[in-house]
Amino acid sequence: MEVELQEIRDFLSHVVPFDQLNDDALNRLPSTLVVRYLRRGTPFPPADQSDHALYIVRRGAVELRDVEDKLVEKLAEGDLYSGLCLSDDPQGALHGTLVEDSLFYLLPCDTLQQWRSNHPVLEAHFSRTLQHRLRRALERQQAGENHANLLTVAVGHLLTRSPVTASPDCSIRDAARQMTAERVSALLLVEEGRLAGIVTDRDLRSRCIADGVSPEQPVSTIMSRHLHKVSRETPAFEALLTMTRLHIHHLPVVDSSGVAGLITTSDLIRQQSAHTVYLVDTVRKAANLAALVKAHRRLPELQVQLCAAGASAQQIGHAVTAVADALTRRLIELAEEELGPAPVAWAWLAGGSQARREQTVHSDQDNALLLADDYDATAHAGWFKRLAESVCSGLAACGYYDCPGGIMASNPQWRQPWQAWRHLFDGWITQPDGHAVAQAVNFLDLRVIHGDERLFSSLQHEVLQQIRASQRFLTALSETALENRPPLGFFRNFVLIGEGDHANTLDLKRRGLLPVVNLARVHVLSAGLPVIGTIERIHAAVDAGLISREGAEALEDAFNFIGTLRARHQASQIKRGEAPDNFVPPEELSAPERGHLKDAFSAIATLQAALGRHHA
Amino acid sequence: MLERLLGLDYRRRRLHAKCTEGPLQDYLATPFPPTRSDCRETTFIALDLETSGLDPQHDTIISFGWVAMRGLAIDLSTARHRVIRQQCAIPESSAVIHQITDDQAATGYELHDILSEFLPILAGHVLIAHNAQIELGFLDTACRRLLGGRFIAPTVDTCYLARRWYDRRNRHFRSGDLRLANVRTRYNLPQYRAHDALSDALSCAELFAAQLAEHGVNGRLPLKAFLLPA
């Protein structure tokens, strides 16, 4: 191969799936290609290209449309068109138009076939169905240990902030001021990018104040030199052993670019204690709201560590929800201690992601109160009002922001006796207009957090029977489920939503997770099944013969992949000190991640289309 | 002047008759493609020479880069880069541009061998170059010195086509507008970082593909309309 085709080689090294080829193969690839230039407005693939080929967009853009002329895909730099080479490729059914003057690299189909037989990574990419690709992506995403502990976590994953540093020339007083302002117990002293020493709280006490050194002296006079350092890759347990052996509490972490951070014994101890169990236990024992708020501040850390340990979205959801459940129960207990025993039987119901056990650190509160029918408004309303307000404001204080739709027990509308709830559901089910369905959706995922389980299960049983028999309500619910469509894919650094519609960020919740949640809900409700979690619902729908096993597996993998991506996105936001959210800018996604997301969207769209046909 | 009116292929036959036996004579024995043929049925060879200066009499060829374009498709399997062995040191200024050091040039090929490799590849096809006078001038000088005859070739000059584009639209241009990288920008072609002979030959072939596409690929693309006037 001519080394001068380096430019093309370098470009291909970023194109999926050629990015997985070894160097030798990648060097040989460019000379197998043909270059074509096509002008804006030209039909695609071009009719004058006699040899069928795989098209790699080097520059420019192509729109691909289906038989109804609906936009399906928009290709740009680095995207592939394989419709002519793969017999079962859905792209083959599309026709396209150049929307920019474009340059393509063509890999003739017969050459592609040879490369596929010689390179398993290419064969895997081009032969696997969408389902297989998604399953593999998920496996790779979750490669790693499923338990966050000191044995498996590297020091680098525990660094929660950038290092606090100063020059060794600054005065002891300034160093102490900076440590106070930054709320750290140690300050790293850096000279020309290199670590020169460290000064700790203890040094200020024993080497400055006790020795009568003037605080105007440079901090270098009291700093410790010749430090023991660790790298980001050092296992956390090794770092802990080192600190114990040397009787120190701080270890600088360095990497190729210099000082990466500081790890402390309390970081390591917290790492152990931040396990879900410990956090749940701390919440359970909290004496008052202040203690709860304090304990709850560790929740973001829990998500960061679970992500670092390779936990799946489902595992993270269960862990984070366990904390929310414990918190809700403890808030109820604290309120009851103050208010005395409840006047009638009742149940605290969690809705939304808490009910489904799919919470992340960025979750709102959805809850409601179900009261026994011997409830007497004049005599009992005050007790339940105070209870609800106390618990809801407690949750808010811990960071569960108020539900935008006001679905909270503190709202008297959602604090009702059994018969009143039954009546509400009956109204929504028999008169399923847009508002009624939207309202009902809020109460179709409910779980008892505290109180009388049987009070709720009898209500749930009746409601499920009624929904199952009401085709009108199910049709209306399906329509709502199809309102939120996943995006078509990506176009350069935009999310391609539809015709002429681009977004700068991908809303993983609204565009990825909620469509699956809604689909799964409709299916189990049509069979009257009392299942709440989305994955459990998908399984139940397969068992009930409502969706195909293949479709269900793809949907489950899509849900897990998007959910895990969201949890990690939030974890990196937490690490950067930003507030976690559901919005991922496409430039943050790697090329393979974009590919897998596109597969995930397509799996969701396929099942949405099936639901649409069923209820049409 | 009379020879110009008689056409390029007539001149080829005249030069063939006068030429010493060898690769140049073999090259000149192959008829040029008819000027009425369609570009889609023509094979082009895009060539770029890196030279130590602009004067074929005093400067030398440092490297060759070429790639074939069959109809509208550039075939990268034909891409070649050849560095020529130098007798004396390359002036520093051109070494910077071409990223070729004296060490590389000292281990290169003999110019004669590369002409013997290149001429059979070009035979019967059309040359493409950006600012082709340089390539034509240096090849002619080399052929006269080493192969005993004159060199001619039917030629597409992408720089000439770019100038004609401005002239036909009565649009003013500056000389910088005709530089390869700047003309490419107008066609949404990517900027390449490397500026070796092969990279420039490929850039030039891609530019010609874009210039052809501009003429509309559904109608006829007569070769004559794109050739440098003889």
Side-chain angles (χ1 to χ4, degrees), chain A residues 495-518:
Chain A
V495 182
L496 186 63
I497 310 277
E499 204 71 54
D501 196 3
H502 291 162
N504 292 321
T505 59
L506 172 60
D507 185 340
L508 287 172
K509 185 181 175 191
R510 178 161 162 247
R511 296 273 172 195
L513 299 171
L514 282 184
V516 184
V517 167
N518 291 335

Side-chain angles (χ1 to χ4, degrees), chain A residues 412-430:
Chain A
Q413 205 185 344
W414 311 128
R415 208 162 62 221
Q416 301 275 3
W418 197 98
Q419 278 302 340
W421 276 110
R422 185 69 194 86
H423 186 71
L424 276 170
F425 275 109
D426 185 69
W428 294 327
I429 296 165
T430 52

